Amino acid sequence: MCSAARWRERVARNERTIEPTRAIHSTARREKAQLSSRHPVRFNMDLGLKRQSGTFLWLTLLLCCISGTLSKESCDGSLVSHLPPSAFRSSSQLSSSHGPGFAKLNRRDGAGGWSPLDSNKYQWLEINLGERTEITAIATQGRYGSSDWVTGYQLMFSDTGHNWRQYRQEDSIGVFSGNTNADSVVPFKLHQPMFARFLRVVPLDWNPNGRIGLRLEAYGCQYKSDVMEFDGSSSVLYRFSPNSSQASKDKLSLKFKTLLNSGTLIRMEETHGPSLTVELVKGKLLFHLRKGKHPSPDFHASVSLGSLLYDQHWHSVTIERVSRHLNLTVDKSTQQLPVPGHLSLSDISEISFGGVSGPSASRTLSKKNFVGCMENVLYNDVNIVNLAKEGRLVSITGAVSFTCSEPVDVPVTFSSPGSFLQLPLSMPSDELSISLEFRTWNKAGLLLTFDLWQRAGSAWLYLSDARARLQIHKAGRILIDITAGSGLNDGQWHMVHLSGRRGRLAIAVDGEDGGTAQAHPSFPVIPENQLFFGGCPEEGKVSHGGDHGCRNPFSVFQGCMRLIHTGDEEVDLIKVQQMSLGNFSDLQMDICGIIDRCSPSYCEHGGKCTQSWSAFHCNCSHTGYKGATCHSSIYEQSCEAYKHRGNTSGFYHIDVDGSGPIDPQRIYCNMTDKTWMVIQHNNTELTKLKPSSGINQHLAHFNYPADVEQLRAIITKAEHCEQELSYHCKKSRLLNTPEGVPFAWWMDGSGEVQTYWGGATPESKQCACGLRESCVDPERFCNCDADGVDWANDTGLLSHKEHLPVRGIAVGDLSRPGSEAAYKVGALQCYGDLHFWNSAYFNKETSYLHFPTFHGELSADISFLFKTSTASGVFLENLGIKDFIRIELSSPFEVVFSYDVGNGPVEVRVESPSALNDDRWHSVRAERNVKEASLHVDQLPGATQRAPPDGHIHLQLNSQLFVGGTASRQKGFLGCIRSLQLNGRALDLEERANITPGVRPGCPGHCSSYGSLCQNRGRCVERHTGFACNCGLSPYTGAFCQKEVSAYFKPSTSVSYTFKEPYELNRNSSVQASSIYSDMTLRGENISLGFRTSQAPALLLYVGSYYREYLAVLLNRNGQLDVKYKLQSNREVEVFKTSTRNLANGQLHIVSIRRQAENLYIQVDQYEQEDFNITSDVEFNAIKSVVLGRVHDSGELDPEIARLSSLGFTGCLSVVHFNSITPLKAALLYPATSPVVVVGPLEESTCGSSAPSHHHVTETTHSLADHFGTVGTGEPIVNAINSDSALIGGVIAVVIFIILSALAVMGRCLYRRKETFQTQPPKGGKPEDSPEFPFNNDANSQYVLNESQREHFI
């Protein structure tokens, strides 16, 4: 701040010297505000204060300057004001009084400044500072007393006056804002200083009512430069003096410049230790850390930094060793290289600069020494260049000079579609020779074109698919077509030479290292008098000498060219710039403006960066991420989120932090009443241990598919986590309680040793039985500590999240005779997502939640859900000095994402065809990166806004983040916001809402949005955090009532859902009897079922009554579906035949039957519904039972039904539904609480499943049960760890086979004796997940489950 004030004061002093009476207009308040801006800091050089405050200001400046001088040397002196007129050059001048020598700040000499002859974008003003100088600021004025000033300009710098380089502020902004009038001074404090001898200002925009007019001043100081130059065969070797390398922190810094793209710069090594090599390979610096001999070293790690570093400009390199890390910096890019523990770089004994020789040379990729200059080479503040000059501690090989030669290199940049260079050709010659060097990122573009002599055709040399291609056309025919080279769009300099002589035509690319192609035309290839490079003039424009005749059917060239030769002469491009040779348009002369947009790469999460001249592209294939910069994850963040998309149990990829740095992980999701994430490790089985000689302790380590960071994120985000820890023992103590040293322990997720067991609390040093006071020995805290000779066990769940997962286990008491043990560490299981339902309700328009500043400089994504009934409101806002970011509901039909990163406000809008203020949940996801901004709302088409290619890219905010409102308390949001995440980090809305007036934690009313997830007649039930699907009225089960309940039937299988006789229910009350009797009379049925069979005929479903009325659904002999009704005992049965084809084809079919009085509707699969009429009585009286499979009825059956029943049913039945009754579901899931009679074998099956899999599911698994060993005094069944496991396995297999055979024989005998099997009533309490007798005698009734019976989704 003091430095800036000092050079402002010097400007003001210069102005007062010229104009002692001039007033200063800017105020201190404005200056302070501009100083604090992130953008190029603008100060008004007309600074001044009122006279009464002047003394105080100068005293403050004086104190500041004294303080700054004491702290460090200032670098803000005037650099231009003292220069002679000969130090100024320009592209042109309007007159002698408008010459460049008059372009000094605040001077009125001549015409009061510089103005060129023509005001166009090819003008420039150049200043020769006399020597290499550090430039820290620049200030501009217009031409005095005129309407001529510059409103925007570029800064160029160079050491030679050629090969200019553009200065770019942060964010790659190369345009500086200029003046708004002729007299005020507009300065810029450069973010990074320039180091140059020559400074050039290129006006880009000027006052439209005037001309280009400019006065300027540069500020800085002298720059100390110690250089040495290497010629490719020279090097400098620095050997340390004793103990000089023992510093705790080492630092090597230097600058280099070169024109060659490869060469070894530095090699640091120990005598017998590792080495660090820094070499330039294809314009990038590669840092290699090695130990051992090439080509198979013991250790090798490498880092690549920088790009296009062989441009003959200075580039800085810093290598810093801090602890066990190497911080590597090239220009502004930094990367860290960890050093393994077995390596040490603190004992480096020598450093070689410029190259290596001997055996070490074979270890480099470039195999070349460095050609170029190095400057200010410092190692731990030791100046190596000075040591080399003095010949101390340094050995010099070859010719090393201490000056830096500056080869003149004049490139030209083709930057736009209208760029071209036209050069005249001398008299035609029968020998053709044209060559040039080029570099580009584009695969296609015209390099050169010309017409042949005497209209013999046209020649085009161009890039096609990154290869050089030459074609000669005449009258629409291709006479010559040859190609050479490949991969020429890599940004490197490539040489192409077109030559022809006496019937031979050739193109050569990169000399001996490239390729050559030849042709033998039958006509002479002689150019006419004009050559066109890069492109052609626009149609209708005439070049010097008349019609240019240039036609370009190919893409224009965007890139750089240099060293253009025609014949044996090099084209003087400076003359072209001075417009004394040839013609051009939209060219940047004497500069190569190529930019590597992939260095550093803005592609995230491993995305591969490719580029063209003006843009870059990220290939996100196989990364698990999407978007312009591979920022957004394609996976959900939890099993809970997958479940909300209607997915069932299976393996899914989980990206726990979304767009954050943690990689996705494949995890099993068990979708039950709770949503469990199950993470296995390498040994979840019960493992038996036996004594081994010489081994006192058994150690086991567990490897998880997720790494430490992934596991910690999963556990932290989960509502609850647990892991089973079990120890089975026989004369093997566990924790040696109450006061002994533990024999066993386990290692938690952080690597800490824990001595409490499953089911106990941390620090308790107990097992579960110790806390329950139920251990075998009351004096001990673990069952195994009783040291009994019978098998015992201590088993329980570890649920302290900070200690999970179990990383290892140690068991020690195994050395005594008779000691045996077994342990088991189960899978890590977690349920719940603390972020998914985290929400807040905003009930006042002036209320909001505030959080710390959002940091999303280069990539920012924001996602949340909202619901509201109001028309508009701001969801969130974060402000900076000028930058901001905001998301709001602008109207009931539109969401707007707006932001500003310095290029002006941008708005991205998504409109919805339906209102968004419908009090239902809607999702919003906004993303902004360096390429684009996007907005997505629900499943509507997203909106995208592209970012300018060379604009500001950093979003810099400094205020608090406001959620649900703004800092101004205007346009606040009324409603709910849920699951708010910024760059993958969730904000705890409920925690802030608890302490914020006008905001309540939580937000009810989820069924309005998610009720549709409850399928198949499932009913949505509200929960505090989420909802549940009640499947009581559905024949399906599962979290969303989507899982088919199916069973495979054999001929002897029968499932009968029975009702009590009416007279049994009304013995005490005739009124009650008549009521129930009336309820049992049906005037309609609603039946659905699925089946799969190859049997025909077959009885699928039978409904009988106490009055010998019945309903039967069956397949006839042809496999067609028949429905039989007998509703009057004195009338014949009515048969309704469908027209469907044979359904006994082994495929799954779905049947729906619906009757309303006399109207009957039948539908099979997707066939058209068929309608029938019943002519008999329409009342179905006194339902007795609903039967699936074989009918066991003591009463009289219809002969046809009896015959079908005797055959039984072989096949699959699923999702059987009769009005409110689900007999198959009752028999399979709730047999103890339902009036169901099951005869014969019946097992649940998946034979009726037809659900498609989700595209994010990598594998579907229906069961993931752990195999527990037996618990109690018996020996556990385990995976034994011993030498005779194969023998034991064989014995066990034989024993099991014998036991199973015996059980099969006994079961068959018992089955023959048993006529029927009826389930017994429950003993004691009912199962937790079963209904409390949900099936009643009323076939039309709608039973209701209580809270404990619902299948919850939390």
Side-chain angles (χ1 to χ4, degrees):
M1 184 71 115
C2 176
S3 177
R6 183 182 297 110
W7 68 261
R8 291 199 308 276
E9 188 267 338
R10 289 181 181 234
V11 172
R13 188 189 312 121
N14 290 343
E15 184 175 357
R16 287 194 300 274
T17 302
I18 304 299
E19 304 172 84
T21 60
R22 183 174 177 177
I24 303 176
H25 306 289
S26 298
T27 65
R29 177 180 300 175
R30 179 181 176 187
E31 178 190 352
K32 182 177 180 180
Q34 291 168 337
L35 271 172
S36 61
S37 173
R38 169 182 68 81
H39 300 282
V41 186
R42 302 180 53 165
F43 307 99
N44 194 316
M45 297 305 294
D46 293 340
L47 292 179
L49 296 173
K50 296 180 180 180
R51 291 184 178 179
Q52 56 267 32
S53 62
T55 304
F56 175 76
L57 174 63
W58 294 119
L59 181 60
T60 302
L61 289 173
L62 179 61
L63 292 175
C64 178
C65 293
I66 293 174
S67 174
T69 304
L70 293 175
S71 61
K72 67 173 188 176
E73 185 178 353
S74 63
C75 189
D76 54 13
S78 298
L79 302 176
V80 175
S81 58
H82 66 280
L83 294 176
S86 59
F88 296 82
R89 293 179 61 238
S90 64
S91 53
S92 64
Q93 60 188 46
L94 183 61
S95 68
S96 59
S97 61
H98 293 81
F102 299 110
K104 295 182 180 181
L105 197 72
N106 296 321
R107 298 292 293 271
R108 299 181 179 180
D109 309 41
W114 166 69
S115 284
L117 180 62
D118 297 311
S119 291
N120 57 41
K121 57 187 175 182
Y122 302 117
Q123 307 301 328
W124 45 265
L125 174 66
E126 181 182 310
I127 301 170
N128 183 353
L129 299 175
E131 59 183 349
R132 197 140 176 261
T133 305
E134 180 177 354
I135 305 167
T136 59
I138 190 168
T140 60
Q141 269 181 315
R143 191 169 63 83
Y144 175 74
S146 71
S147 58
D148 303 339
W149 60 83
V150 173
T151 59
Y153 60 93
Q154 289 179 336
L155 279 180
M156 306 284 187
F157 62 96
S158 169
D159 285 348
T160 63
H162 294 291
N163 187 29
W164 294 88
R165 186 177 184 186
Q166 183 179 353
Y167 179 85
R168 292 179 178 269
Q169 293 277 36
E170 197 173 357
D171 296 347
S172 299
I173 298 300
V175 179
F176 292 80
S177 297
N179 300 81
T180 56
N181 56 55
D183 294 321
S184 64
V185 178
V186 177
F188 279 95
K189 183 74 174 177
L190 302 182
H191 289 176
Q192 299 290 334
M194 286 188 291
F195 301 93
R197 176 182 174 183
F198 293 88
L199 180 66
R200 178 177 283 188
V201 179
V202 180
L204 299 177
D205 297 291
W206 47 90
N207 179 21
N209 298 317
R211 309 174 60 87
I212 294 176
L214 184 63
R215 290 177 286 173
L216 62 81
E217 177 63 89
Y219 302 89
C221 59
Q222 210 172 22
Y223 177 67
K224 185 177 184 297
S225 175
D226 294 313
V227 299
M228 50 186 177
E229 184 174 15
F230 301 87
D231 61 4
S233 60
S234 56
S235 63
V236 170
L237 179 63
Y238 170 50
R239 289 189 174 90
F240 301 106
S241 58
N243 300 322
S244 65
S245 64
Q246 299 303 316
S248 60
K249 178 179 176 181
D250 295 318
K251 182 178 180 180
L252 172 65
S253 63
L254 58 84
K255 292 184 178 180
F256 75 92
K257 67 190 306 186
T258 182
L259 278 173
L260 300 185
N261 68 354
S262 297
T264 301
L265 273 75
I266 307 167
R267 182 176 176 83
M268 308 171 67
E269 59 184 323
E270 299 179 17
T271 304
H272 301 290
S275 64
L276 178 66
T277 304
V278 183
E279 56 182 321
L280 192 64
V281 177
K282 290 189 176 181
K284 297 183 178 182
L285 273 188
L286 298 184
F287 297 79
H288 298 279
L289 180 61
R290 285 191 181 94
K291 184 178 182 181
K293 297 183 178 180
H294 187 79
S296 301
D298 301 332
F299 173 81
H300 181 206
S302 62
V303 167
S304 173
L305 283 173
S307 180
L308 309 177
L309 300 177
Y310 63 114
D311 55 0
Q312 196 59 17
H313 288 285
W314 290 105
H315 298 280
S316 61
V317 180
T318 302
I319 303 171
E320 189 173 20
R321 178 185 65 84
V322 180
S323 184
R324 303 216 63 81
H325 291 87
L326 285 176
N327 295 329
L328 310 173
T329 302
V330 175
D331 294 335
K332 297 179 182 179
S333 299
T334 299
Q335 196 164 335
Q336 194 173 76
L337 179 63
V339 180
H342 65 284
L343 299 182
S344 172
L345 287 175
S346 61
D347 297 324
I348 292 292
S349 57
E350 61 182 37
I351 306 177
S352 177
F353 301 94
V356 294
S357 58
S360 298
S362 64
R363 305 180 190 178
T364 62
L365 293 178
S366 63
K367 304 295 189 297
K368 299 177 182 178
N369 282 0
F370 175 69
V371 178
C373 301
M374 294 187 190
E375 175 186 68
N376 294 344
V377 182
L378 301 176
Y379 181 70
N380 291 341
D381 297 326
V382 176
N383 191 320
I384 307 299
V385 180
N386 284 345
L387 292 180
K389 290 178 181 178
E390 299 168 2
R392 295 188 300 112
L393 302 176
V394 168
S395 300
I396 298 178
T397 302
V400 175
S401 64
F402 298 103
T403 59
C404 186
S405 60
E406 298 286 356
V408 176
D409 182 15
V410 183
V412 58
T413 302
F414 297 76
S415 58
S416 73
S419 299
F420 75 91
L421 171 61
Q422 177 185 356
L423 294 177
L425 196 63
S426 57
M427 291 298 294
S429 170
D430 60 355
E431 185 170 336
L432 173 66
S433 179
I434 303 173
S435 66
L436 58 91
E437 290 188 7
F438 71 91
R439 69 194 311 182
T440 184
W441 299 115
N442 293 351
K443 289 185 175 182
L446 179 67
L447 296 175
L448 168 67
T449 183
F450 55 84
D451 289 338
L452 300 185
W453 180 253
Q454 295 181 343
R455 300 183 181 275
S458 300
W460 287 280
L461 177 62
Y462 63 100
L463 291 179
S464 175
D465 197 23
R467 305 183 69 191
R469 188 169 187 175
L470 175 67
Q471 286 188 345
I472 296 180
H473 292 204
K474 183 177 181 180
R477 294 188 304 115
I478 301 177
L479 306 180
I480 300 291
D481 189 353
I482 55 178
T483 60
S486 63
L488 303 180
N489 65 327
D490 58 358
Q492 307 291 311
W493 283 110
H494 296 282
M495 187 273 291
V496 59
H497 183 203
L498 173 62
S499 60
R501 185 179 182 185
R502 296 178 182 177
R504 176 182 174 275
L505 186 64
I507 53 172
V509 176
D510 292 338
E512 297 179 356
D513 297 333
T516 302
Q518 298 183 12
H520 300 279
S522 58
F523 52 90
V525 181
I526 302 174
E528 276 193 335
N529 58 350
Q530 298 291 331
L531 301 176
F532 293 89
F533 297 85
C536 292
E538 295 180 13
E539 292 292 333
K541 289 191 175 182
V542 178
S543 63
H544 299 305
D547 184 8
H548 54 73
C550 179
R551 303 291 184 271
N552 179 19
F554 310 105
S555 302
V556 297
F557 175 75
Q558 288 182 296
C560 302
M561 292 187 187
R562 69 180 184 186
L563 302 178
I564 301 175
H565 289 78
T566 58
D568 296 330
E569 296 183 0
E570 180 180 349
V571 175
D572 189 347
L573 294 176
I574 297 300
K575 290 184 178 180
V576 176
Q577 182 184 22
Q578 296 170 348
M579 300 184 180
S580 60
L581 176 65
N583 189 22
F584 66 90
S585 176
D586 289 338
L587 295 185
Q588 291 179 291
M589 305 298 298
D590 209 359
I591 180 175
C592 180
I594 190 170
I595 298 174
D596 191 343
R597 301 179 188 275
C598 289
S599 180
S601 174
Y602 294 113
C603 301
E604 303 178 52
H605 301 112
K608 184 178 180 182
C609 182
T610 57
Q611 61 185 312
S612 63
W613 180 260
S614 58
F616 72 91
H617 171 72
C618 295
N619 185 347
C620 307
S621 301
H622 310 297
T623 65
Y625 295 85
K626 62 182 178 180
T629 59
C630 310
H631 177 76
S632 302
S633 179
I634 65 175
Y635 304 118
E636 297 291 347
Q637 293 184 248
S638 66
C639 291
E640 190 91 2
Y642 276 116
K643 190 173 183 180
H644 260 71
R645 296 173 58 175
N647 298 106
T648 57
S649 297
F651 281 95
Y652 296 85
H653 281 97
I654 303 294
D655 197 336
V656 68
D657 69 338
S659 59
I662 301 176
D663 293 333
Q665 178 61 42
R666 186 171 174 268
I667 290 175
Y668 185 82
C669 295
N670 191 13
M671 312 289 195
T672 59
D673 55 337
K674 291 184 173 65
T675 308
W676 291 91
M677 302 175 70
V678 183
I679 305 172
Q680 300 283 349
H681 55 78
N682 58 321
N683 182 19
T684 56
E685 301 293 334
L686 193 64
T687 304
K688 188 174 181 181
L689 305 172
K690 287 188 176 181
S692 300
S693 59
I695 300 178
N696 297 324
Q697 191 175 57
H698 174 81
L699 299 175
H701 294 275
F702 305 111
N703 300 319
Y704 295 82
D707 60 30
V708 174
E709 190 177 25
Q710 290 170 328
L711 288 173
R712 179 46 48 196
I714 290 170
I715 293 170
T716 302
K717 189 175 181 179
E719 180 182 341
H720 170 82
C721 290
E722 63 187 37
Q723 194 166 11
E724 183 194 38
L725 183 59
S726 176
Y727 188 70
H728 296 253
C729 55
K730 180 179 179 182
K731 201 176 180 181
S732 177
R733 291 160 293 180
L734 183 59
L735 300 182
N736 200 19
T737 58
E739 297 180 355
V741 177
F743 288 102
W745 48 263
W746 56 277
M747 186 168 60
D748 65 17
S750 302
E752 299 294 328
V753 171
Q754 300 296 333
T755 56
Y756 70 96
W757 211 249
T761 56
E763 308 296 334
S764 66
K765 294 185 180 180
Q766 297 184 25
C767 299
C769 69
L771 293 183
R772 296 194 302 263
E773 298 182 353
S774 61
C775 295
V776 174
D777 183 350
E779 301 297 323
R780 310 288 179 178
F781 300 144
C782 296
N783 288 325
C784 289
D785 288 345
D787 204 18
V789 296
D790 294 324
W791 281 100
N793 77 85
D794 287 292
T795 300
L797 295 175
L798 300 170
S799 58
H800 189 63
K801 294 199 320 182
E802 285 72 14
H803 289 168
L804 295 177
V806 178
R807 285 285 181 186
I809 190 173
V811 178
D813 192 14
L814 293 170
S815 59
R816 296 179 296 163
S819 295
E820 294 184 66
Y823 67 86
K824 177 180 179 180
V825 177
L828 174 66
Q829 302 187 83
C830 299
Y831 71 77
D833 185 341
L834 293 176
H835 302 157
F836 193 78
W837 296 108
N838 189 286
S839 59
Y841 174 61
F842 300 83
N843 54 19
K844 290 184 179 180
E845 191 171 343
T846 58
S847 62
Y848 59 80
L849 300 178
H850 59 86
F851 294 88
T853 305
F854 175 43
H855 297 289
E857 285 79 4
L858 295 175
S859 292
D861 76 271
I862 302 170
S863 63
F864 59 91
L865 295 99
F866 77 92
K867 67 174 185 173
T868 184
S869 57
T870 57
S872 63
V874 175
F875 297 122
L876 60 85
E877 179 184 80
N878 207 161
L879 305 177
I881 295 175
K882 292 184 178 179
D883 296 1
F884 72 89
I885 191 167
R886 183 185 301 114
I887 305 177
E888 62 183 309
L889 182 69
S890 61
S891 75
F893 298 91
E894 185 177 60
V895 175
V896 179
F897 170 39
S898 55
Y899 68 94
D900 187 356
V901 295
N903 305 313
V906 177
E907 289 188 345
V908 188
R909 298 174 177 267
V910 169
E911 292 187 5
S912 171
S914 57
L916 298 172
N917 60 339
D918 56 358
D919 209 28
R920 296 166 62 94
W921 286 114
H922 299 280
S923 64
V924 176
R925 178 178 176 82
E927 180 183 346
R928 178 262 152 195
N929 53 57
V930 298
K931 284 184 68 70
E932 66 182 26
S934 61
L935 177 64
H936 292 84
V937 178
D938 294 335
Q939 302 301 317
L940 298 170
T944 302
Q945 286 278 2
R946 303 288 295 182
D950 292 308
H952 293 281
I953 60 175
H954 286 272
L955 173 67
Q956 296 196 356
L957 309 172
N958 56 17
S959 74
Q960 290 181 316
L961 169 68
F962 294 90
V963 177
T966 64
S968 62
R969 295 181 179 269
Q970 297 178 354
K971 299 176 65 177
F973 174 73
L974 292 175
C976 294
I977 295 179
R978 192 185 105 215
S979 190
L980 174 60
Q981 298 194 52
L982 287 75
N983 278 350
R985 185 177 64 87
L987 301 186
D988 194 339
L989 300 175
E990 295 183 356
E991 180 187 48
R992 291 296 175 97
N994 278 320
I995 58 175
T996 305
V999 186
R1000 295 204 312 261
C1003 196
H1006 304 298
C1007 283
S1008 61
S1009 300
Y1010 298 109
S1012 60
L1013 291 176
C1014 298
Q1015 307 168 30
N1016 303 306
R1017 301 180 68 181
R1019 183 168 59 88
C1020 183
V1021 180
E1022 291 287 350
R1023 302 286 291 172
H1024 175 65
T1025 54
F1027 66 95
C1029 288
N1030 183 339
C1031 305
L1033 299 180
S1034 172
Y1036 291 76
T1037 186
F1040 298 119
C1041 311
Q1042 86 290 352
K1043 181 182 178 182
E1044 298 90 345
V1045 179
S1046 309
Y1048 186 79
F1049 282 65
K1050 293 185 177 181
S1052 60
T1053 305
S1054 171
V1055 175
S1056 178
Y1057 189 97
T1058 60
F1059 301 88
K1060 294 181 180 180
E1061 292 187 66
Y1063 66 85
E1064 292 181 356
L1065 300 176
N1066 61 14
R1067 289 178 179 174
N1068 297 324
S1069 172
S1070 60
V1071 177
Q1072 182 182 12
S1074 63
S1075 174
I1076 293 178
Y1077 188 89
S1078 174
D1079 288 342
M1080 296 298 293
T1081 298
L1082 302 181
R1083 295 182 59 84
E1085 297 83 41
N1086 192 347
I1087 305 169
S1088 64
L1089 61 88
F1091 70 91
R1092 187 195 303 267
T1093 187
S1094 299
Q1095 175 185 345
L1099 180 62
L1100 301 178
L1101 179 141
Y1102 177 81
V1103 183
S1105 83
Y1106 288 98
Y1107 295 158
R1108 295 185 180 180
E1109 299 175 357
Y1110 72 87
L1111 158 66
V1113 180
L1114 55 94
L1115 296 180
N1116 61 28
R1117 293 179 180 274
N1118 298 321
Q1120 295 175 308
L1121 184 74
D1122 289 354
V1123 178
K1124 292 189 174 184
Y1125 267 100
K1126 186 172 184 179
L1127 301 182
Q1128 281 182 276
S1129 58
N1130 58 353
R1131 296 191 59 176
E1132 292 295 324
V1133 64
E1134 294 187 76
V1135 181
F1136 304 96
K1137 296 180 177 291
T1138 63
S1139 59
T1140 55
R1141 56 181 174 80
N1142 179 18
L1143 301 179
N1145 55 5
Q1147 298 179 5
L1148 181 65
H1149 299 285
I1150 304 297
V1151 176
S1152 176
I1153 302 170
R1154 183 167 53 90
R1155 181 178 74 92
Q1156 296 176 343
E1158 69 276 6
N1159 298 315
L1160 178 65
Y1161 309 96
I1162 304 175
Q1163 183 170 5
V1164 179
D1165 297 333
Q1166 301 302 319
Y1167 295 104
E1168 186 177 353
Q1169 176 180 287
E1170 298 184 58
D1171 301 343
F1172 303 91
N1173 287 321
I1174 295 178
T1175 59
S1176 61
D1177 188 10
V1178 296
E1179 292 185 348
F1180 196 174
N1181 300 301
I1183 300 296
K1184 178 180 181 181
S1185 62
V1186 178
V1187 183
L1188 307 175
R1190 183 187 291 269
V1191 179
H1192 296 273
D1193 197 321
S1194 58
E1196 295 183 7
L1197 286 177
D1198 182 285
E1200 178 66 19
I1201 299 299
R1203 188 181 65 82
L1204 289 178
S1205 175
S1206 65
L1207 299 175
F1209 175 72
T1210 302
C1212 174
L1213 288 178
S1214 65
V1215 293
V1216 181
H1217 188 268
F1218 178 80
N1219 288 356
S1220 62
I1221 305 303
T1222 54
L1224 187 59
K1225 180 178 177 181
L1228 291 172
L1229 303 183
Y1230 314 112
T1233 57
S1234 306
V1236 181
V1237 177
V1238 178
V1239 178
L1242 180 71
E1243 292 184 0
E1244 187 173 2
S1245 171
T1246 59
C1247 57
S1249 176
S1250 61
S1253 61
H1254 189 268
H1255 69 280
H1256 283 311
V1257 181
T1258 57
E1259 178 182 338
T1260 300
T1261 305
H1262 298 285
S1263 176
L1264 197 70
D1266 289 328
H1267 302 285
F1268 292 93
T1270 57
V1271 179
T1273 58
E1275 181 177 357
I1277 299 175
V1278 298
N1279 289 335
I1281 301 178
N1282 50 39
S1283 60
D1284 56 351
S1285 59
L1287 177 60
I1288 294 175
V1291 173
I1292 292 175
V1294 173
V1295 172
I1296 292 174
F1297 176 79
I1298 295 172
I1299 294 173
L1300 290 177
S1301 300
L1303 290 174
V1305 173
M1306 295 172 60
R1308 184 172 181 84
C1309 294
L1310 291 172
Y1311 177 77
R1312 287 181 176 178
R1313 296 184 60 183
K1314 182 175 180 178
E1315 294 294 329
T1316 62
F1317 170 76
Q1318 183 168 351
T1319 57
Q1320 299 298 318
K1323 298 179 181 179
K1326 57 185 178 296
E1328 183 180 349
D1329 59 348
S1330 65
E1332 184 179 2
F1333 200 76
F1335 306 95
N1336 57 32
N1337 292 312
D1338 180 4
N1340 283 323
S1341 65
Q1342 304 290 311
Y1343 59 87
V1344 180
L1345 303 185
N1346 63 31
E1347 193 67 24
S1348 65
Q1349 301 152 6
R1350 297 170 184 156
E1351 299 183 62
H1352 295 300
F1353 183 64
I1354 299 175

